Amino acid sequence: VQLAESGGGLVQTGGSLRLSCTASGSTTFAIEVMGWYRASRGKRRDLVATIDIKRGTTRYADSVKGRFTISSDKAENTIYLEMNNLRPEDTAMYYCNADLGPASIRSPWGQGTQVTVST
């Protein structure tokens, strides 16, 4: 599976952005869960939100609950992250990832998309 993220940019505090991540390759049929992660400069990559592609169940980091919404388009092998009421602390490189099969084999990381929230 290859992952390609897009949709990042520069936005003011309180603004919104919508990120997209599309999976491609011969093993997309095996994707069970996809998620968004983010890494601020010099910090580790943290979970933002995940979605079970088959069940539609979602999970969010406490810091984004009520502001971010993860969704999926199974036919397009794409997930989205709708980000509202953005804060400067949301500034980070955002990555998506996929877990494949019952063993939850993790896919390689994409290149990410930068989100910058100005004050």
Side-chain angles (χ1 to χ4, degrees), residues 35-104:
W36 286 98
Y37 299 77
R38 66 186 181 187
S40 303
R41 187 172 299 179
K43 296 186 178 180
R44 69 177 188 183
R45 199 172 295 172
D46 290 328
L47 174 71
V48 176
T50 63
I51 184 166
D52 185 307
I53 297 301
K54 295 179 181 178
R55 298 181 178 83
T57 52
T58 58
R59 182 164 64 104
Y60 296 92
D62 288 343
S63 59
V64 306
K65 282 181 182 177
R67 300 188 298 123
F68 291 11
T69 302
I70 188 170
S71 60
S72 68
D73 182 336
K74 288 186 287 186
E76 298 294 329
N77 292 317
T78 298
I79 63 168
Y80 304 95
L81 187 68
E82 187 76 35
M83 305 186 295
N84 297 313
N85 192 20
L86 283 160
R87 304 167 180 168
E89 53 264 39
D90 295 318
T91 295
M93 184 71 81
Y94 283 71
Y95 303 87
C96 71
N97 207 277
D99 290 344
L100 282 69
S104 297

Side-chain angles (χ1 to χ4, degrees), residues 26 32 44:
S26 60
E32 300 272 342
R44 69 177 188 183

